[in-house]
Structure formats: C-alpha cells, structure tokens
Amino acid sequence: MEKNGLDPKKDIELVKQGFTMDQFFNDQVDVATATIYNEYHVVLESGTKESDLDVFNIEDAGVGMLEDTLIAKKEWVDSNRELAVKVTRAILKGWNYAIDNQDETVDIVMSNVTEGSTTREHQVTMLEEIAKLIRPEGFTEQQVGSFVDESFTRTADIALNYGLIKKAANLDEALEKSIYEEAVK
C-alpha cells in the first residue's frame, strides 16, 4: 500500500479476513485476499464473472510472501536429520506424483472429503493451479521445493517491516538447504 501512496492507518480500514470468501460475498469488505488456486476460483464458481473483478497479483507488486513452507526447530533437525531428509523426500515425491497423476490425485482427495464440502471440479481446478506454483513451466522434478533466495529475503523484509518478526532474518541461519539438497539426490 505504501508503495502506491496509501497510508494503511488513514486511507483504508484493515479487516481481519476469515478463511472463506463470505465477507466478500456479503459485501463486508471491498477487497479480499485470495489464493489463485482456491478462493479466487470459489468466487468464479459462485457466478461472479472474471470481467467483474479487479485482480491484483501481489507478486507483480513485489510484496508476495512465501507460504506452505516446512519449518522445524534446529535442535529437532540436528537430532533427526535422517528423518527430516526422508520426510522432505516423501513430500517432494508426493507433489511430483500428484502433478503427474492429477486424475488419480483428485479421486483420492474426493474419497476422503466430507460430502458436500467441495466438488470434483473445484479440486481439479485447485490441483491444476497449484501444480503451476509447485512445478512452474521449465522446472524439473528435482527443482520442486527449491527456494529462491530473493523470495525468502523479500518475505523476511516484509515480516520485519510489519512487525511479524522482531529482528532481521539471516538467510544463511534461517534456511537449511542441505536437507532439501540431500532429499533430491
């Protein structure tokens, strides 16, 4: 917001958004955050036309933050290194399998959801969209799960700027790349 001349304390009212798009549908907020692989499609599936939406990609604005990251305490990793590598390897293998076998993956998901909580079409869309994020065009299976240092640094800088962390993050201390590197061997 500040990048575009807005003062979040004066120019807008920040509202805590729930985990659904209900506030958006009920006109309780004018702008809502949405993941491209889930909530955005919930809005479209509700009957809203893409042409009726103004979509702002936070990555394009330079304020996108990492999410869905594996986090463990250093002491635990030091005591359970082999397990950490195996878990990481299994997760990466699972993502690659899911991306390569999308129909089967959606079948598995649908056989485990509460009836009426989602649709097959929504799950297909979610997997298609998340596959683009997990394994972007040009990525190999071995690159799935890899970190882009600039993304980590940007996330840490935003977190510091907005008081989510108290001191600047040190990339070399905070990011243990050797677990990932061993997992993809």
Side-chain angles (χ1 to χ4, degrees):
M1 290 177 270
E2 291 93 344
K3 288 176 113 180
N4 293 297
L6 292 174
D7 181 343
K9 293 181 178 156
K10 289 192 237 173
D11 298 326
I12 61 168
E13 178 187 354
L14 290 176
V15 176
K16 185 174 184 175
Q17 183 179 332
F19 292 105
T20 69
M21 294 305 289
D22 292 347
Q23 292 163 293
F24 183 75
F25 292 138
N26 296 326
D27 295 323
Q28 295 170 315
V29 296
D30 297 316
V31 177
T33 60
T35 58
I36 193 64
Y37 55 85
N38 187 3
E39 295 88 359
Y40 175 70
H41 290 280
V42 168
V43 171
L44 297 179
E45 291 163 9
S46 77
T48 304
K49 297 177 192 161
E50 276 187 284
S51 60
D52 291 336
L53 298 171
D54 286 318
V55 178
F56 305 93
N57 185 326
I58 60 173
E59 285 292 330
D60 293 343
V63 292
M65 295 179 70
L66 294 173
E67 60 178 291
D68 300 331
T69 303
L70 295 175
I71 299 173
K73 292 183 177 181
K74 182 178 181 343
E75 301 80 36
W76 184 89
V77 172
D78 290 345
S79 298
N80 298 280
R81 183 175 184 79
E82 184 178 339
L83 179 59
V85 170
K86 287 180 179 181
V87 167
T88 302
R89 186 177 294 130
I91 291 168
L92 298 174
K93 185 177 179 181
W95 271 117
N96 280 309
Y97 188 88
I99 291 167
D100 292 338
N101 300 279
Q102 293 190 23
D103 286 338
E104 179 185 354
T105 299
V106 173
D107 288 343
I108 293 167
V109 169
M110 292 308 296
S111 70
N112 288 284
V113 298
T114 303
E115 190 174 332
S117 65
T118 189
T119 64
R120 179 174 186 78
E121 294 75 23
H122 184 73
Q123 293 301 315
V124 166
T125 300
M126 279 185 47
L127 185 52
E128 289 171 349
E129 292 297 328
I130 207 160
K132 295 174 195 174
L133 300 171
I134 300 287
R135 196 166 74 197
E137 190 174 324
F139 256 44
T140 65
E141 284 189 14
Q142 289 72 28
Q143 289 173 295
V144 168
S146 61
F147 267 97
V148 176
D149 290 351
E150 298 88 45
S151 297
F152 179 90
T153 301
R154 181 181 62 239
T155 297
D157 290 347
I158 291 169
L160 181 64
N161 188 42
Y162 287 95
L164 301 172
I165 58 177
K166 293 181 182 3
K167 63 178 187 169
N170 179 322
L171 179 65
D172 296 325
E173 290 176 7
L175 187 58
E176 170 53 84
K177 294 181 182 181
S178 68
I179 299 292
Y180 169 81
E181 291 164 355
E182 197 171 329
V184 295
K185 282 184 184 177

